[in-house]
Amino acid sequence: GSAPYGSSVVNPPKENNETSSAANYIANKNTKKFHYPYCHSVGQMKESNKKSLYCTRDEAISQGYSPCGNCNP
């Protein structure tokens, strides 16, 4: 009565719920703008100003951030 090899007892982690997954947006704590992670503005930010956002666009705006004019998140 042993379970066959490879039976799915443990589900693989779902990327959407993983805390280690990439952030939806990168916000600048200094300018209060938020960007897509690939936006070139992110590369010009100081590390100390970067804040990873794991939320929707509307939630980012409700937190006081403005969408970047370059990448238009």
Side-chain angles (χ1 to χ4, degrees):
S2 63
Y5 177 76
S7 65
S8 57
V9 176
V10 178
N11 291 326
K14 294 182 174 60
E15 287 183 27
N16 293 346
N17 300 333
E18 279 289 281
T19 51
S20 61
S21 66
N24 294 358
Y25 305 108
I26 307 296
N28 186 322
K29 291 188 276 190
N30 187 38
T31 63
K32 300 295 275 188
K33 290 237 175 23
F34 68 96
H35 312 263
Y36 283 124
Y38 56 77
C39 179
H40 76 92
S41 299
V42 172
Q44 297 170 352
M45 276 184 219
K46 290 181 184 170
E47 278 304 317
S48 58
N49 287 337
K50 288 183 188 176
K51 177 179 169 64
S52 297
L53 299 181
Y54 299 90
C55 62
T56 66
R57 181 181 191 274
D58 289 342
E59 287 170 336
I61 291 170
S62 71
Q63 290 176 39
Y65 295 102
S66 304
C68 168
N70 294 323
C71 60
N72 294 308

